[in-house]
Amino acid sequence: MDFDSLVTKKKIILVGKDLQDADIEVLTEVLEKSTVVQELNLMCNRISLADDKFTDALAKNRTLQVLSLYNNEVGVEGGKRLACAIRSNRALQQLFLEGNQIGDEGAKEFADALMVNKTLHVLILRGNDIGDDGARSLATAFLFNSTLRVVLLGENKIGNEGAAHLCDAVEYNHSIDQLMIDGNKMSAIIEKKIASILSNPSRKIPGAKQSLPKHVVETILKHKDAEIASRDKTIAEMHDKMTSEFDSLKGLLVEKEEEIKQKDSFVAAKDDQLQSKEELIAQKGNEIAELIAMKDKEISTKDAKIARRDAALTAKMTDIARRDMRLAAKDEEIAALKATLDSPLEVVAKFIARKDDEIASLKSTIESSAGDSSRNLSGSNRSSSNRSASTEASGSDGEDAEDDAPNENEDPVAAVAVVEEKITTTPTKKKVSSKSRKSGSARKSGSARKEKKAANSAEGSGVLKPCLKNGKKERKVTEQPVE
């Protein structure tokens, strides 16, 4: 079943679908929300109305006019729920409830509903196990109902007593047109009497309504007295029950008051304990606060010391940073100086080149002086005698000068080669005595001066310097800038 397809229909027919209460939830929603449904046929299913969902929706519905629950499983409780819905419903006109076994209790609930319902015209209650008590209740309701037109009570358990009440009711109620009680246990005479009353045309004449017969009134009063007595009994039982419950509640209240008093005293004791604990907590709190203040003061002192140490450390770090900067600057200066210096090999190469230039100059000087010595041989002999005299006077200086002076019989070119070899192999400065320089020839004097100059140049440049290492004399080559 689809709600969207059912909510727009005026007639909903679901006959013989083996529907149960769980299957009609959609129909419950349709009754709540539909504004057009007028007829709902649920014949030959298994609906029992076990809860109030369907009947509550029926009570509030204002469009449904025909409801058929023929041959379902409504029963007594379902009949009571359905009768309660009829009491509130203001639209239903026809109710088919045949074959649902509502019994006398269900019939009494329907009788109470008919007292107030003003819209129901057709009521079918065939085959519902209704006896004389149910028939008497319905007959009483018929006396006060003016809207019912058709009532079918056949195939029930109504006897002569219930049939007599129904006969008196239709005799007084002129709105009922058809009352069928066939298939019951009553006398055929009463059934014929009811049929005769209903077929009398004078009962429909306006103003022909007569007062209730005396026996009907007596029966009604008797029935009402019984109901009142039953209700009084119920009320008395309820009163006794309530009294007993009140007494028990009163005793329970006294017990509860005692418990409350005990609990109050217990709470008071607990409050005292709590107050003492709160005072102790407050005292501890004050001690803790003092201790915290003391600790805070110590921490502040230590923080101040740490701050001073940090300041001193910062100053030291600043000083170290400045020193590092100065060292970096020195390193940069040293690196710049190293970049400007030549390597020792380059210094030696420059020295050798300079000596080569000096040797070339010396060669030219010697060659020129050799030509002069060949032309002046006699002068050379005299110079040789003078040199020997000087040698005797100068001692050890003369020996060095004698080694450097050329032989008179020696070839000038060979003399030049000897001088070159001595200059290149002996870079140290030779000491030449002043007497030897004065007694030597102009050629030898010039050569000695050049040798001294070369030796001074080599020593002054710092290329070769003697040093001691491990007790031995070594020559150390140092780098000096060459201008």
Side-chain angles (χ1 to χ4, degrees):
M1 292 185 293
D2 183 26
F3 171 79
D4 294 334
S5 62
L6 295 177
V7 74
T8 58
K9 291 184 177 181
K10 290 184 178 182
K11 293 184 178 182
I12 300 175
I13 300 174
L14 297 171
V15 178
K17 300 294 184 180
D18 199 28
L19 300 178
Q20 300 183 22
D21 290 345
D23 300 323
I24 63 173
E25 292 182 358
V26 176
L27 298 177
T28 301
E29 190 175 0
V30 169
L31 290 178
E32 291 175 348
K33 298 181 180 180
S34 176
T35 58
V36 297
V37 62
Q38 296 179 356
E39 182 178 348
L40 178 58
N41 190 342
L42 299 175
M43 295 173 58
C44 301
N45 286 291
R46 299 171 58 189
I47 300 169
S48 62
L49 302 180
D51 54 47
D52 297 330
K53 294 179 181 180
F54 182 84
T55 52
D56 289 345
L58 177 63
K60 298 176 183 178
N61 182 271
R62 294 295 178 264
T63 61
L64 188 67
Q65 299 178 2
V66 180
L67 173 62
S68 176
L69 290 171
Y70 170 79
N71 199 18
N72 275 274
E73 300 176 358
V74 175
V76 177
E77 297 301 326
K80 291 180 179 180
R81 293 187 179 92
L82 188 59
C84 184
I86 297 300
R87 184 190 296 270
S88 302
N89 184 274
R90 297 293 180 269
L92 191 65
Q93 298 178 6
Q94 301 180 26
L95 176 60
F96 296 87
L97 201 60
E98 183 177 353
N100 281 280
Q101 313 301 321
I102 65 171
D104 287 337
E105 295 184 12
K108 290 179 182 180
E109 294 293 333
F110 269 97
D112 292 339
L114 292 173
M115 290 283 193
V116 295
N117 183 276
K118 303 299 181 183
T119 60
L120 195 63
H121 299 323
V122 178
L123 177 62
I124 309 300
L125 296 176
R126 293 176 62 89
N128 277 285
D129 287 338
I130 299 174
D132 289 339
D133 291 339
R136 184 171 54 250
S137 299
L138 290 172
T140 304
F142 293 161
L143 295 174
F144 299 96
N145 184 280
S146 60
T147 58
L148 279 174
R149 297 292 182 267
V150 178
V151 179
L152 303 184
L153 296 174
E155 303 296 333
N156 281 292
K157 298 179 180 180
I158 302 173
N160 290 332
E161 182 182 356
H165 285 286
L166 291 172
C167 182
D168 294 336
V170 296
E171 187 176 2
Y172 178 79
N173 187 328
H174 297 168
S175 61
I176 296 177
D177 297 328
Q178 185 177 3
L179 175 63
M180 296 185 65
I181 53 175
D182 58 301
N184 285 281
K185 298 179 180 181
M186 63 183 179
S187 171
I189 297 173
I190 298 177
E191 183 177 358
K192 290 180 179 179
K193 184 179 179 180
I194 292 174
S196 175
I197 292 173
L198 293 176
S199 63
N200 185 5
S202 62
R203 63 188 296 269
K204 295 291 183 179
I205 298 174
K209 188 173 182 179
Q210 58 185 9
S211 61
L212 291 173
K214 182 178 179 181
H215 67 280
V216 172
V217 174
E218 291 177 353
T219 303
I220 293 173
L221 292 176
K222 184 178 179 181
H223 179 65
K224 292 296 181 183
D225 289 341
E227 288 183 357
I228 291 171
S230 176
R231 291 180 180 177
D232 289 342
K233 184 179 179 180
T234 303
I235 291 171
E237 291 176 352
M238 292 180 65
H239 181 268
D240 294 339
K241 185 178 180 180
M242 291 178 67
T243 303
S244 176
E245 290 179 355
F246 178 76
D247 292 338
S248 62
L249 288 173
K250 188 176 180 180
L252 184 61
L253 181 61
V254 173
E255 294 178 358
K256 292 294 181 182
E257 288 178 352
E258 292 294 331
E259 290 181 2
I260 291 171
K261 289 180 180 179
Q262 293 177 0
K263 289 182 179 180
D264 289 340
S265 60
F266 178 75
V267 170
K270 290 292 183 182
D271 289 338
D272 294 337
Q273 293 178 2
L274 182 62
Q275 185 176 1
S276 62
K277 288 182 179 180
E278 288 178 351
E279 292 175 356
L280 181 61
I281 291 170
Q283 183 180 357
K284 293 293 183 181
N286 294 330
E287 293 177 358
I288 291 170
E290 293 176 357
L291 183 61
I292 290 173
M294 187 185 302
K295 293 296 181 181
D296 290 339
K297 186 175 181 181
E298 292 178 359
I299 291 170
S300 300
T301 304
K302 291 182 179 180
D303 288 340
K305 291 182 179 179
I306 291 171
R308 289 194 295 271
R309 290 179 182 178
D310 290 341
L313 183 60
T314 303
K316 290 182 180 180
M317 293 297 292
T318 304
D319 189 18
I320 291 170
R322 291 173 181 172
R323 292 180 182 178
D324 290 340
M325 291 175 64
R326 289 197 295 270
L327 290 175
K330 293 294 182 181
D331 289 339
E332 291 178 358
E333 291 178 2
I334 292 169
L337 291 174
K338 286 183 178 180
T340 59
L341 294 177
D342 294 328
S343 64
L345 294 178
E346 291 176 352
V347 172
V348 171
K350 292 180 180 181
F351 174 74
I352 293 170
R354 188 167 61 250
K355 290 302 178 181
D356 289 340
D357 293 338
E358 292 177 357
I359 291 169
S361 177
L362 185 59
K363 282 181 179 182
S364 62
T365 303
I366 291 171
E367 288 175 357
S368 62
S369 63
D372 294 334
S373 63
S374 61
R375 288 191 298 269
N376 300 313
L377 183 59
S378 61
S380 296
N381 291 330
R382 188 172 57 253
S383 296
S384 178
S385 63
N386 292 329
R387 188 167 57 249
S388 62
S390 296
T391 300
E392 290 176 356
S394 60
S396 62
D397 292 337
E399 292 176 0
D400 293 337
E402 184 179 1
D403 292 336
D404 292 335
N407 194 352
E408 60 180 355
N409 297 322
E410 192 177 16
D411 187 8
V413 178
V416 171
V418 172
V419 173
E420 289 178 354
E421 182 179 0
K422 288 182 178 182
I423 291 173
T424 57
T425 57
T426 308
T428 57
K429 181 177 72 174
K430 291 184 177 181
K431 295 181 180 180
V432 181
S433 63
S434 58
K435 294 181 179 180
S436 177
R437 284 195 302 272
K438 290 179 180 180
S439 62
S441 62
R443 179 184 57 81
K444 191 65 176 176
S445 297
S447 175
R449 283 194 300 272
K450 290 181 179 181
E451 289 178 5
K452 184 179 180 181
K453 182 179 181 181
N456 290 332
S457 177
E459 185 178 359
S461 62
V463 176
L464 298 175
K465 290 184 179 179
C467 64
L468 290 176
K469 184 177 182 181
N470 298 327
K472 296 181 181 181
K473 187 174 183 180
E474 293 183 357
R475 292 187 182 274
K476 182 178 180 182
V477 179
T478 60
E479 295 181 1
Q480 293 293 337
V482 179
E483 297 179 357

